[in-house]
Amino acid sequence: MTSFRWVSGAVYGIVLAAGLYYALAGLGDGNPPRLAGFVAGMAALFALDVVERRLDRAPVVFLVARLALFSSVAALDESGLSRALFVLVPFTAYLTFGRTAGLVLGGLCLALLAGGFAVWVPGWYRDATHLSDLLMFGMGLVLALAMAEVATRERRAAARIAELSAVTERNRLARDIHDSLGHHLTAIAIQLAKASAFRDRDPAAAEQALTDARDSAQRALRDVRTSVGALRSAPVTLRAALTELAGQDDRVTVHIDGAERDLDQATVTTLHRAAQEAVTNARRHGAATAVSVTVTYDPAGTRLVVTDDGRGFDPSADRAGFGLLGLRERAALVGGECIVDSRPGAGTSVTVLVP
């Protein structure tokens, strides 16, 4: 209801201005006490709105108090224009209690107006002025209920957007954990396995593997700190990120064709994580002995291709896993696409295209 709180104040202002004009222009009986009561009632309505917004509770109490003030103001208003205040009753009820309450109170207000005419204005149904008043009041009710419906849908949409934003953020964190920590933990596991295998046969190689594992752990820690402080950290170029990736494994080579573009950080992260995931899969699942990472800049966009000479797999199989799904999701978020080409015994090629 927040974005429509101005409605009641606007209606109060219009009714107050109309009532004052009617009295000061000499169109009424010129009863000062009655005019003062009318102005005091309108002031009380303004004050009631302020109190309700500050307390933000007991909506039924405020609705009843508003109805009582509407009735008092209508009785004191010589012009009869203050009946427009009752349009706010179904509007407020719709926003606070739901559609049914709004429709019921709207119908009740219309019936009360027609009943009042029947009691105090004999033959009103043959008078064009009173018929017009009833028609305009009905149209006002319809517009008020329509506006309340729009406000309700806006509120639901805002809640849905907030929910989707939370889901998107959880998915992004899941991809970051998988693509970053998963890569480093795989490297650590491979290096520790190497250290264990060479411990007796080649102590120097085993010691080097332990050193590499410690370095990978440090890089994993640095990645975590970088992700946490991503909003404050300086942008990283794709060349620098891929060079660091290749420096972690002598089986990985990097080739860059064309002048490096000034890519936004989301695109750099997408391409870097794609390369990380492809390299990790080549080492963990493909048993690759050589992995090539190629970046090509051309007028159509930026193309990242990671190929390996591993055992390959069937991309259509269910076991393709979260990593490839994460790659496709990342590429889609920056307007790109991810293509995986592989078959058993023939290695794997992962291509990411971004505009």
Side-chain angles (χ1 to χ4, degrees):
M1 185 178 172
T2 303
S3 58
F4 286 86
R5 282 178 172 173
W6 59 271
V7 173
S8 59
V11 173
Y12 296 161
I14 292 171
V15 170
L16 177 61
L20 289 174
Y21 174 80
Y22 190 88
L24 297 177
L27 301 177
D29 297 335
N31 188 331
R34 188 172 181 178
L35 177 61
F38 166 74
V39 173
M42 294 303 303
L45 285 172
F46 280 111
L48 185 67
D49 266 18
V50 173
V51 173
E52 183 182 21
R53 290 170 190 171
R54 289 183 178 177
L55 295 180
D56 196 24
R57 60 175 181 267
V60 174
V61 173
F62 283 100
L63 182 60
V64 172
R66 192 173 282 110
L67 274 170
L69 285 172
F70 286 173
S71 301
S72 300
V73 169
L76 293 169
D77 181 21
E78 293 184 84
S79 70
L81 299 175
S82 58
R83 68 173 66 101
L85 293 171
F86 288 91
V87 170
L88 294 173
V89 174
F91 176 76
T92 304
Y94 196 120
L95 292 177
T96 306
F97 304 109
R99 174 181 294 181
T100 301
L103 293 175
V104 169
L105 286 178
L108 181 61
C109 287
L110 189 61
L112 287 175
L113 179 60
F117 283 165
V119 172
W120 288 295
V121 187
W124 67 273
Y125 51 86
R126 293 191 296 268
D127 181 32
T129 300
H130 289 90
L131 288 174
S132 176
D133 287 348
L134 186 65
L135 176 62
M136 294 303 295
F137 185 78
M139 291 179 64
L141 288 175
V142 171
L143 291 175
L145 291 170
M147 185 179 291
E149 174 69 15
V150 170
T152 301
R153 291 185 180 183
E154 178 187 281
R155 185 165 53 192
R156 290 172 181 167
R160 180 60 176 161
I161 289 172
E163 180 184 349
L164 291 175
S165 297
V167 172
T168 300
E169 183 63 13
R170 284 197 296 269
N171 288 339
R172 185 191 67 79
L173 290 174
R175 287 193 297 267
D176 280 347
I177 292 172
H178 178 276
D179 296 346
S180 180
L181 285 181
H183 168 79
H184 292 302
L185 291 176
T186 297
I188 292 171
I190 292 173
Q191 290 151 358
L192 290 178
K194 179 180 178 181
S196 178
F198 284 84
R199 180 175 51 190
D200 297 327
R201 291 181 293 171
D202 191 342
E207 182 62 30
Q208 182 60 48
L210 289 174
T211 300
D212 292 341
R214 284 192 293 268
D215 290 342
S216 293
Q218 290 296 325
R219 283 191 290 269
L221 180 60
R222 188 165 60 249
D223 248 18
V224 170
R225 289 171 175 168
T226 299
S227 297
V228 171
L231 294 178
R232 301 188 300 271
S233 61
V236 177
T237 66
L238 182 59
R239 180 186 292 272
L242 295 181
T243 299
E244 180 181 359
L245 177 64
Q248 299 169 14
D249 191 331
D250 55 12
R251 290 173 292 180
V252 180
T253 58
V254 174
H255 306 279
I256 298 179
D257 297 329
E260 185 167 11
R261 292 182 173 178
D262 185 17
L263 301 174
D264 61 81
Q265 198 58 34
T267 301
V268 171
T269 300
T270 295
L271 295 173
H272 178 216
R273 296 305 189 208
Q276 272 190 329
E277 176 63 19
V279 169
T280 298
N281 286 342
R283 297 166 60 182
R284 181 193 300 171
H285 305 301
T289 59
V291 182
S292 173
V293 181
T294 302
V295 177
T296 304
Y297 297 98
D298 57 42
T302 303
R303 177 193 303 266
L304 170 77
V305 180
V306 181
T307 57
D308 67 68
D309 62 353
R311 62 171 63 101
F313 68 101
D314 181 3
S316 64
D318 291 339
R319 64 183 182 86
F322 181 81
L324 293 180
L325 175 61
L327 288 184
R328 295 188 176 100
E329 289 178 347
R330 279 187 180 277
L333 288 174
V334 294
E337 61 176 330
C338 176
I339 302 169
V340 179
D341 182 20
S342 182
R343 62 180 185 274
T348 301
S349 174
V350 177
T351 302
V352 178
L353 303 169
V354 295

